[in-house]
Amino acid sequence: MKYRVLIVIIFIFGLNQTKAQDYTKDSLQFKIITSIKYHKSKVEDIKLKKVLCDYCSEEQKKQLGLQAIKLSELEQNDPKNRKENGIKILSIYIRLSKEDFKALNK
C-alpha cells in the first residue's frame, strides 16, 4: 500500500513539472522599471524608467511600458511601497507567451 501511494505521488509530481517546463518554453519574461513619486504619502507621479528588452521593437516597448504603468498604479497603495516623501523604484516583471508578444506589434 505504501508503495502505491508513493508511486502516485511521484507520478503527480512529474506531471506538474512537465506542465511547468512547457509554460517556460513558450513564454518570455520582461523586466520594466518604474518610479512612483510620493509627497506627504500621496502619489504625485508615476514614470516609466526603462524597459529591459534587447529584441523588442519600439511599439512592443511602448505597450510593455503602458502595462507596467498600469501595474504600478495598482501597487501604489501597497504599504510596503508607500513612502512619506521620496521616490519608490519598482521592478515589474511581465510574462507573455510568444504569440501574445508578436501581437504587440499590431
Side-chain angles (χ1 to χ4, degrees), residues 76-88:
Q76 70 186 359
N77 293 322
D78 190 354
K80 66 181 177 186
N81 294 330
R82 286 184 82 70
K83 288 192 167 196
E84 181 67 31
N85 290 313
I87 297 174
K88 174 68 177 179

Side-chain angles (χ1 to χ4, degrees), residues 16-100:
N16 287 339
Q17 290 291 1
T18 305
K19 288 180 183 178
Q21 290 172 355
D22 289 341
Y23 179 73
T24 56
K25 286 181 186 177
D26 186 39
S27 66
L28 302 168
Q29 181 171 310
F30 305 97
K31 181 178 180 180
I32 299 107
I33 301 170
T34 60
S35 66
I36 304 174
K37 185 176 181 181
Y38 290 96
H39 181 70
K40 297 182 181 177
S41 295
K42 303 248 186 226
V43 175
E44 267 190 8
D45 193 21
I46 298 177
K47 290 185 181 178
L48 175 66
K49 290 289 192 183
K50 191 170 192 177
V51 177
L52 299 171
C53 180
D54 295 336
Y55 46 85
C56 294
S57 68
E58 288 303 315
E59 181 63 26
Q60 289 169 329
K61 284 184 180 182
K62 180 182 171 187
Q63 294 298 321
L64 289 169
L66 290 173
Q67 186 62 33
I69 289 173
K70 288 179 185 178
L71 291 171
S72 294
E73 289 173 354
L74 295 174
E75 291 287 324
Q76 70 186 359
N77 293 322
D78 190 354
K80 66 181 177 186
N81 294 330
R82 286 184 82 70
K83 288 192 167 196
E84 181 67 31
N85 290 313
I87 297 174
K88 174 68 177 179
I89 304 293
L90 293 177
S91 294
I92 308 286
Y93 291 91
I94 297 176
R95 186 178 290 268
L96 293 173
S97 69
K98 291 177 183 177
E99 291 81 27
D100 291 340

